Amino acid sequence: MTAARGTAGYIAPELFSRNFGAVSHKSDVFSFGMLLLEIVGCRRNIDVTVENQSQIYFPEWIYNRMSQGKEMGLEIEIDGDEEIAKKLAIVALWCIQWNPTDRPSMTMVVQMLEGDLHGLEIPPKPFASSDIEMIAT
């Protein structure tokens, strides 16, 4: 690769800096995780029109809620979909680990999605914290 290409908010960190690791198939896993979070939150993960960037980083907001055992606070219309949304969010958080070696393979991602929610653990914090309380918008 000679240059990073892709949609802002979905590009793996290693595409910007080799300090995060080498570019590999795990870079696509990162992008897939961000897509899963977009599905869960029914929103884009980046909004260039928002002035205060701390208000828009949905991955950190959802991680903080889940790691504290709080409900995700999403508008769920059908019974049972809350569990599906939680599973998608946990899998997504595994996929967006900053270190590529900490991300699962796509085979493992499929297994996690097909498996039981109760078999999933919330991953370690997948990003550097901003130390600012995230606000859901």
Side-chain angles (χ1 to χ4, degrees):
M1 291 188 72
T2 58
R5 288 186 169 55
T7 304
Y10 296 83
I11 302 171
E14 61 271 17
L15 290 171
F16 292 108
S17 173
R18 299 290 185 244
N19 291 334
F20 292 106
V23 175
S24 70
H25 64 282
K26 298 281 185 100
S27 303
D28 292 333
V29 172
F30 181 92
S31 298
F32 183 72
M34 294 303 282
L35 176 66
L36 287 178
L37 285 175
E38 182 177 318
I39 291 168
V40 168
C42 299
R43 60 178 275 177
R44 298 284 236 167
N45 287 317
I46 187 103
D47 183 354
V48 295
T49 63
V50 174
E51 289 182 31
N52 185 349
Q53 294 298 313
S54 68
Q55 293 180 346
I56 65 167
Y57 199 59
F58 183 68
E60 187 165 1
W61 180 83
I62 200 72
Y63 178 83
N64 289 340
R65 296 205 50 105
M66 293 185 78
S67 66
Q68 295 167 6
K70 296 180 181 178
E71 291 293 318
M72 290 193 294
L74 303 172
E75 293 182 26
I76 305 293
E77 295 182 15
I78 300 172
D79 286 339
D81 282 357
E82 177 76 27
E83 187 170 304
I84 293 169
K86 187 173 183 180
K87 181 193 292 189
L88 291 175
I90 292 171
V91 172
L93 291 170
W94 276 108
C95 291
I96 65 168
Q97 294 291 308
W98 277 31
N99 186 340
T101 59
D102 293 338
R103 295 179 205 143
S105 65
M106 278 308 293
T107 301
M108 181 59 73
V109 169
V110 171
Q111 290 173 355
M112 289 190 295
L113 290 171
E114 290 177 339
D116 187 39
L117 169 64
H118 304 291
L120 296 176
E121 293 181 19
I122 296 176
K125 194 171 221 172
F127 34 73
S129 177
S130 64
D131 292 329
I132 297 172
E133 184 66 28
M134 293 294 124
I135 302 167
T137 57

